[in-house]
Structures are given as C-alpha cells and as structure tokens.
Amino acid sequence: MSNIPETGKTSRVTVRLVTIQILVVSLLLTLGGRLWYLQIRNGDEYAAEASGNHVQQVVDPAVRGSILDARGVPLADNETRLVVSASRTALMKMDDEGKAVLTRLAHVLGMSYTDVKNKVRLCDAKTPQPCWNGSPFQPIPITDEATTQQALKIRESSEDFPGISAEPTAVRRYPAPAKAQTSQVLGYLSPVTDEEIKKAEHTNSPFLRSDMVGRSGLERTYDSALRGKAGVTRYQVDNLGRVMGKGKSDPARPGDNVVTSIDARVQAVAEKELHQAMVEARKQHDRNTGTNYKADAGAVVVMENKTGRVVSMASQPDYDPNSWVGGISAKDYAKLTGKKSNYPLLNRAIQGQAAPGSIFKVISSSAAVNAGYPFNGRYNCSSSYNVGGQVFKNFESESHGAITLGRALEVSCDTVFYDLAYKQWVKDGGNKPKKDPADWFYKTAHQFGLGKETGIDLPNEVKGRVPDRQWKKDFWKANKDNWCKNGKKGGSYTERIAYESCLEGMKMRAGDSVNYSIGQGDTLVTPIQMATIYAAIANGGTLYDPTIGKAIISPDGKKVRDIEPHAHGKLPDTPKTLQQIDKALAGVATRGTAAWRFQNWPQKQIPMHAKTGTAEVYGKQTTSWFATYTKDFTIVMTISQGGTGSGASGPAVRKIYDALYGVDAKGKIHKDKALLPKPQADLPKVDRQGNIEAGKLTKPIVNDEKKPAEAVQ
C-alpha cells in the first residue's frame, strides 16, 4: 500500500500536463512562424520558383541507320519529306472531336475526310487498316508526301489547323537499286505501341513514343542497332507554358548501318528470273489437270557455300516496302493481306513449306549408305514398284536396269529408293516395329537439319516437317476424332483415306516409308533448308546458320562489329560418301536430268552440280524444285504448282549463274561482265562524315533461253 498522499499525486499530474501544453504551444508557434516566413515574407520568391519547376521534354528523333548491300549500295535509307501530322490528344479536346479541322485538312491535302479520319483512329482487334497502332499521345502522320504549298498553307493558317503540324522529317526509303525490291528480306516499320514501351522500360533499349520499330525482316532483327537513340531536350516552363530555363539535354545518336551479304545486282537478277520463270510456267500445259500451270508462288536463294551468307533471297509474290512508309492505305493493306493476293508478306524462302520431291534423294542416298547399302552397289531401277498391292511408278515409267546410287541420282530413279526404303522398313519390324527401330531414313533427315530452323537471322522462320514415328503418333492423336467421324469404307478417295487413318494413322506403314524416300508424302521443307544442305555438300559437310547481316558499322565508320558465320552441325557422311554424292550431282548437270539446262556450260572452269525435283501434292499441281551448286555458290529455286524442276525452275537458275560468272550463250566466260565470280570479302568503306562508298550497278549478262528441240526432262 502506497504512503504518498493523494494531494501529492494530483500535483505531479498537474505539473506534467502543464509541461506538455507548453511544448505543444511552442511547436505550434514555431510551425506558424515558419509558415508565415515561407508564405508571407518570401512567398513571391518561392511561388516563382515552384511555377518554374515544371519540365517539358522535346524529342528529337534519331535518324535510322541504313541497310546496305555487300558493296555499300543502300537497300534501305532515309530521305527528307514534308510530313503532315495530327495530335489526337488536341483533336479529342475539341467539341466536335476535330471533325472540322480534319475536314479542312483533307481539302488542303486533296484527300477524302474518311481517309484522313481513318489515319488518326486507334487500332484494335475490330478496327481494320488504316489505323494508328502507335501511342495516342504522339503526333500521327497523315501524309509524308505533302507539297511545299500545302505545308505553307497549314503553317500560315495555324489558327484554322489547331493540333496539325507540317514539318520536314527524315522518312524511311526503300530505293530498290537495279529494281531489286528485296521486300521480304528488308521488312517494314510501324509505330511503337504502348505495350512495347512498357515492356522495354527497364531494358538497355527503352522506347520513346516517337519511335518507329521494325516489324519484319532485317528491320526487325537489327532494330535496336538501326534505331539509334532519340535526343531529348528538357525545358523548365511555368504554368502558362513560358520557358523559364533549359535543363539537361541528351543529344540524339543516329542508328548504326547494317551491311548485308546481299548483292543488289544479283538480287535484281534473281527477282527478275524467278518472276519470269513463273510467267513462262503459266504458259505451259499441265497434262495431269488439263489446264495450264498456275505457278502461284515461288522462291529462290543464292548462298555462299563456305560461310552460309545469303547473296540473294527472292520470294514471289512480292510487294513494295515503301507502301508502309507514312502509314499504309486500306487498299494497299488489303492487297498485302488478302487471299486474292496470295499473301505477299510471306517470305517463302524461309516460310514456304512444300514436299521437296527428288532433291531430297541426296538425304536418302546418305541414309542408305549409313544403313549399310554400298554407294556403288547395283540396284534395280525398274519402271514401277509394288508394295502391298499398291503400285509406285518411276517418273514417266522409265527403266534403267541395274544401276548405282550415283546413277540413280543422275537419272532420278524413284524405284531404287523405293526398294531401299522398303527393305529398311522391313528390317525395323514392318507393321510390328522393333522396340528401338533404326529408322535410318528419318534419322538422317534430322541429321541433315530438317524438322528444325536453320537459324537464319530473319524472324518467323518455320521448321518444316520430318514425318517420323513420333510425328505420326502425335498427328494421329490430334486428328483421330475427325478422321473417324468423316471416314467411310468404300467411299470417296478422301473418305477412304480418313477411314484408313482413323484405324491405322498412328502406324508407320510401308507406303509411308516408300513415298518418303523420294521426298513425297507428309515431308515439308523450306528453300533455305535445302540451300543449307546443298551448300554443306559443296563445302565438305558443314551446315552453316544462314546469315544476311554481315557487319554493323557506326555512323562515322569508326566502329565495326562483324557478324561471323556460325555452324550448327555436320552432315552424317564420311568424306568418301560426300565425294561420291558430289560426283553424282556433277553427273546430273552433265548427263542427267539437268543436262539440257546446262548445255554449253563451261564445266571444266566452273564445275556445276545439280539435282532436279518434281513434287506431287494431292489436290494441287506439281511443285518445281531445282537445287544446284558450284565451288562458291548454291542456288535453290522452287515454284509452287509450276511443273517439273528442270522445266520450270531450270532456265531461271541457269540465267542467274550466267550473270554471276559472266557466261554467254556459247559458254564463254567474260570476267569483266561477271557480277560476282567469287564471294564478296571486303566491307564497304565509310568516311568520318558517314559517307559510304558504294559499288556501281553493273549490267549483267542474261542470255535468252532457247529450248532444245528434244529436251529430256
């Protein structure tokens, strides 16, 4: 029990309360005094400073780097144009959402109001082109083809055009040197989106709202190097927008230049000859369908054997990449994406898939040797081959008797490969496969790089398909229900196929393996895959990643980063087997199925090797393939629904070689007229001012194609 009196306790509490009250009052007086000092005595000074602390950023877009061919000729660069743009933010603040302004603008530019309005609407899943898929806060280009008079009228009558600007701006240009579009290889640009800006915020290459980015081709692959870095000038402004001072500024850094291995001269020849080959194919009668060939699409690749560098890559149908500059019109967009146009945005050299036909036989030859069948053994080339009651015919039912694998490649004998594939299928267990079947023909295709990407430095490459046992199982699981629903025993052809697939679609049947051995059936390859394979045969077995970028050079030419070739594998062949295949392919060009296309070719000076291919596709006309190589270059061409390999693609490939090496119609070599007798080794020179020393566009030798009276296909 406490001895302290109650009155003592009360006095202590009172003292504490008084002390706390004094402290609180003191704090309040101190805060009040400081507030008086800031707001009354020095209020004007601090208010002025606060009003001047608002910062506005002015963006100076970076000049995008050029894309150059191997000799410095610009494939993509920039030019100054008068660009008329609209601020969507300013238009949306108007009572009529800018309708009156856009109507006046349309009249000045000679455009319809609808076209102008569509340019400034925002893209979404339901809005067709044209529309703006960039940030709604940055100026939206209406046209990049304004005349000086139009720009002056807009600027002199600015009160009639609020939110509208007309400024000289560096605009992307695709000059098409020597008429080489190089469309799908170069790609195109479009404005950066808010999603991309957010995603790149914390990376080493953030976006500004004014940036244009590559959407396909080299523009996309090397976008970060080409784009450079926009400059930003920071101004301190007051509440009325008056500039109070200049803050820290970051100067613009122009983008680097990308030097490619493309030769614009060779590219022009390749594009022209591919197009002409398709035109000529459409004049030829297809006896299987009773109509002319459609020749609806095609591609050609010219590649350096010892590096994998791509000298030329053309795809048909193509398009003008300039149509994307300044925003694409609805008409042009419909042309590029509609079914009627056959999708010209597709790069069929890396995205076009088709059965390879007989150019696949180099893989089957390698598989046969690895499975234990001697290359120089004797194999019966009969006119037809019977498997389980089904007859598989040799091309045009020709018979050549007992021949070697080399001769089978020369005359493209199907039945030799049918027999080898069937025997291997039986060894692997037939309809009751062994636990671990050897599957040499499928295994070898994978070793040659099929069924996966080549690694080319272009976006959206497709893998193709090797229809091995695992693929068969996966495909059957995915399609079983549909097959069983639509299949019918004894019905139409498609119904019978569906019925059989429902029951046995997971099995590797004899017919599958036999058909596969000559590049038919479910096998799918791309031209770039086959070019990589034939280049590997030419160079002794190395599978290179195909590359188009050769070097990245700074704007002043001081810094150079080489893009070195890289290999992704080796062919599964001994040097002896490769030499035997090489010799056989030389025979194809001199006495085999391609010989009629290489008459008068200087074989001793420039040994030519070739393989023809004609792939049959159910419901379509045959696909033409032509695979060739010399010491330095490989050329592979394909034409969808174009006919035979040597018939449709052969003339064009020959003309490309004529231009490369300067060979005239009589087989004489003109070194002074040769476009590229050997691969381009040196990089173009760039001076300190960024000027590039570009090579001249020499006119090539292109011989007129004269078809022999008796042509052996």
Side-chain angles (χ1 to χ4, degrees):
M1 191 173 196
S2 175
N3 295 323
I4 300 173
E6 192 69 29
T7 55
K9 290 182 178 181
T10 303
S11 62
R12 286 186 179 184
V13 171
T14 302
V15 171
R16 290 175 181 173
L17 289 173
V18 171
T19 302
I20 291 171
Q21 288 173 350
I22 292 171
L23 288 172
V24 170
V25 171
S26 299
L27 288 172
L28 290 173
L29 289 173
T30 301
L31 290 172
R34 182 61 177 168
L35 188 62
W36 174 85
Y37 177 83
L38 293 174
Q39 291 190 338
I40 305 301
R41 183 173 178 177
N42 289 350
D44 293 339
E45 178 184 345
Y46 285 109
E49 290 184 16
S51 65
N53 280 338
H54 184 59
V55 176
Q56 286 282 4
Q57 294 188 153
V58 176
V59 176
D60 178 19
V63 176
R64 193 171 179 86
S66 298
I67 300 176
L68 311 172
D69 89 337
R71 302 182 313 129
V73 177
L75 301 173
D77 58 8
N78 308 286
E79 64 179 349
T80 301
R81 296 188 192 175
L82 283 171
V83 177
V84 175
S85 303
S87 168
R88 180 179 170 82
T89 304
L91 294 175
M92 291 300 103
K93 290 180 179 179
M94 300 176 189
D95 293 338
D96 62 352
E97 296 185 343
K99 183 176 180 179
V101 173
L102 294 181
T103 300
R104 287 193 291 271
L105 181 62
H107 178 72
V108 170
L109 298 177
M111 300 171 63
S112 70
Y113 167 74
T114 302
D115 287 342
V116 174
K117 181 183 177 183
N118 288 346
K119 290 269 190 175
V120 298
R121 65 182 177 179
L122 301 180
C123 292
D124 57 31
K126 297 180 180 179
T127 304
Q129 289 282 351
C131 58
W132 178 251
N133 67 347
S135 169
F137 301 105
Q138 73 183 77
I140 301 174
I142 304 299
T143 181
D144 59 7
E145 297 179 342
T147 65
T148 304
Q149 291 79 5
Q150 290 170 338
L152 286 173
K153 185 171 181 60
I154 292 169
R155 300 189 71 169
E156 290 174 355
S157 306
S158 56
E159 67 280 1
D160 293 329
F161 299 99
I164 306 300
S165 62
E167 303 288 344
T169 307
V171 175
R172 202 58 164 168
R173 179 181 75 127
Y174 300 95
K179 298 183 180 180
Q181 296 271 33
T182 327
S183 319
Q184 296 90 349
V185 172
L186 293 173
Y188 57 90
L189 305 175
S190 70
V192 66
T193 64
D194 285 344
E195 184 180 349
E196 288 169 328
I197 292 173
K198 186 175 181 181
K199 189 176 180 180
E201 278 179 353
H202 304 294
T203 67
N204 293 327
S205 184
F207 289 115
L208 293 174
R209 294 192 181 279
S210 59
D211 282 334
M212 300 287 285
V213 295
R215 293 300 177 198
S216 69
L218 296 174
E219 292 279 28
R220 175 174 167 182
T221 300
Y222 296 103
D223 181 73
S224 59
L226 291 165
R227 190 171 3 111
K229 185 178 180 182
V232 178
T233 302
R234 298 172 181 86
Y235 294 97
Q236 293 180 349
V237 298
D238 61 16
N239 292 334
L240 298 177
R242 295 173 299 190
V243 176
M244 306 296 293
K246 188 176 180 180
K248 181 182 177 182
S249 299
D250 300 320
R253 180 180 62 80
D256 295 329
N257 299 312
V258 174
V259 178
T260 71
S261 53
I262 297 291
D263 187 299
R265 304 165 304 170
V266 180
Q267 179 71 21
V269 173
E271 289 182 10
K272 176 187 174 184
E273 295 307 327
L274 173 61
H275 174 74
Q276 190 60 36
M278 293 170 62
V279 170
E280 291 300 319
R282 294 178 194 132
K283 299 177 183 178
Q284 305 304 315
H285 185 71
D286 178 10
R287 63 188 181 189
N288 294 321
T289 63
T291 61
N292 284 4
Y293 287 106
K294 296 179 180 178
D296 54 351
V300 61
V301 176
V302 182
M303 179 186 289
E304 294 178 8
N305 296 335
K306 297 176 183 177
T307 62
R309 298 193 189 281
V310 176
V311 175
S312 172
M313 178 181 285
S315 176
Q316 284 286 335
D318 67 354
Y319 66 97
D320 181 3
N322 287 298
S323 60
W324 290 90
V325 176
I328 192 166
S329 68
K331 184 179 179 181
D332 286 340
Y333 187 78
K335 284 182 179 179
L336 296 182
T337 58
K339 184 178 180 180
K340 188 176 181 180
S341 65
N342 201 16
Y343 311 107
L345 293 180
L346 282 178
N347 184 347
R348 286 171 167 83
I350 67 170
Q351 296 172 304
Q353 303 180 103
S358 292
I359 66 169
F360 184 82
K361 288 174 182 173
V362 293
I363 299 171
S364 294
S365 298
S366 174
V369 173
N370 291 337
Y373 300 94
F375 192 89
N376 288 324
R378 308 299 289 182
Y379 307 98
N380 184 30
C381 178
S382 57
S383 61
S384 63
Y385 193 79
N386 192 305
V387 177
Q390 185 175 357
V391 177
F392 293 84
K393 292 185 177 182
N394 202 6
F395 185 70
E396 294 191 350
S397 301
E398 288 189 74
S399 175
H400 293 274
I403 59 176
T404 64
L405 280 178
R407 185 58 180 162
L409 285 172
E410 289 179 3
V411 299
S412 203
C413 180
D414 294 339
T415 52
V416 166
F417 295 98
Y418 290 154
D419 185 53
L420 290 169
Y422 178 73
K423 287 177 179 176
Q424 188 58 44
W425 176 79
V426 172
K427 284 184 179 180
D428 288 331
N431 287 322
K432 296 181 180 179
K434 298 176 181 178
K435 184 178 180 181
D436 294 307
D439 283 340
W440 281 109
F441 283 79
Y442 300 97
K443 177 182 178 181
T444 302
H446 285 294
Q447 291 172 326
F448 268 68
L450 297 185
K452 59 185 177 183
E453 294 144 352
T454 63
I456 190 170
D457 54 345
L458 289 176
N460 304 317
E461 180 188 6
V462 299
K463 298 179 179 180
R465 181 168 70 206
V466 177
D468 54 19
R469 294 181 192 275
Q470 187 58 53
W471 177 84
K472 289 281 289 184
K473 291 176 183 177
D474 294 341
F475 192 67
W476 178 73
K477 288 179 181 178
N479 294 278
K480 178 186 175 184
D481 292 342
N482 185 56
W483 284 334
C484 294
K485 179 181 178 181
N486 297 309
K488 182 179 179 182
K489 186 176 182 180
S492 65
Y493 176 77
T494 54
E495 288 173 334
R496 293 198 309 272
I497 292 295
Y499 177 76
E500 293 172 7
S501 298
C502 170
L503 298 177
E504 299 182 339
M506 81 298 288
K507 294 182 180 180
M508 182 66 72
R509 294 170 293 192
D512 295 325
S513 291
V514 164
N515 220 17
Y516 166 81
S517 69
I518 62 164
Q520 297 282 174
D522 294 312
T523 307
L524 293 176
V525 302
T526 63
I528 194 65
Q529 287 176 326
M530 299 313 296
T532 302
I533 287 171
Y534 275 82
I537 296 172
N539 69 35
T542 302
L543 290 161
Y544 282 103
D545 296 354
T547 53
I548 299 178
K550 194 173 182 180
I552 295 175
I553 301 179
S554 62
D556 58 7
K558 292 181 179 180
K559 295 181 181 179
V560 178
R561 177 166 69 86
D562 291 321
I563 301 171
E564 299 291 347
H566 292 284
H568 61 259
K570 296 281 289 184
L571 296 182
D573 296 301
T574 64
K576 180 180 178 181
T577 301
L578 284 174
Q579 289 172 5
Q580 290 171 324
I581 293 175
D582 178 81
K583 183 178 179 181
L585 295 177
V588 175
T590 56
R591 58 180 177 270
T593 56
W596 67 301
R597 288 305 184 194
F598 288 105
Q599 290 184 354
N600 296 326
W601 179 258
Q603 188 71 11
K604 290 184 179 180
Q605 297 95 321
I606 310 170
M608 180 64 67
H609 306 73
K611 186 70 195 81
T612 58
T614 306
E616 297 177 359
V617 182
Y618 176 73
K620 289 188 176 184
Q621 296 170 310
T622 53
T623 300
S624 168
W625 285 94
F626 205 59
T628 60
Y629 64 85
T630 59
K631 175 186 174 182
D632 297 303
F633 301 106
T634 289
I635 301 180
V636 172
M637 181 178 285
T638 183
I639 299 176
S640 168
Q641 304 195 89
T644 65
S646 60
S649 300
V653 171
R654 169 64 190 266
K655 289 180 185 179
I656 296 172
Y657 277 118
D658 288 341
L660 277 172
Y661 291 105
V663 179
D664 66 19
K666 295 181 179 180
K668 185 178 179 181
I669 301 172
H670 300 267
K671 293 183 179 180
D672 58 327
K673 295 183 179 180
L675 293 185
L676 199 65
K678 60 181 181 179
Q680 177 76 28
D682 299 331
L683 293 174
K685 296 179 181 179
V686 183
D687 63 24
R688 293 181 179 179
Q689 286 72 41
N691 299 313
I692 300 162
E693 185 179 315
K696 295 181 180 179
L697 295 173
T698 313
K699 188 175 181 180
I701 283 182
V702 180
N703 296 310
D704 291 333
E705 209 280 321
K706 295 180 180 179
K707 187 174 180 180
E710 294 181 1
V712 180
Q713 296 186 31

Coordinates of all heavy atoms in Angstrom, one line a residue, residues 21 494 567 631:
Q21 N 1.5 20.9 -22.3 CA 0.8 22.0 -23.0 C 1.7 23.1 -23.5 O 1.6 23.6 -24.6 CB -0.2 22.7 -22.0 CG -1.4 21.8 -21.8 CD -2.4 22.3 -20.7 OE1 -2.0 23.3 -20.0 NE2 -3.5 21.7 -20.5
T494 N -11.1 -39.3 -100.4 CA -10.8 -38.6 -99.2 C -11.5 -39.4 -98.0 O -10.9 -39.4 -96.9 CB -11.3 -37.2 -99.2 OG1 -12.7 -37.1 -99.6 CG2 -10.5 -36.4 -100.2
A567 N 28.4 -22.4 -87.5 CA 27.9 -23.7 -87.9 C 27.0 -24.3 -86.9 O 27.2 -24.1 -85.7 CB 29.0 -24.6 -88.2
K631 N 31.6 -24.2 -107.0 CA 32.6 -24.2 -106.0 C 32.2 -23.2 -104.9 O 32.5 -23.4 -103.7 CB 34.0 -23.9 -106.6 CG 35.1 -23.7 -105.5 CD 36.3 -23.2 -106.2 CE 37.4 -22.9 -105.2 NZ 38.7 -22.4 -105.9

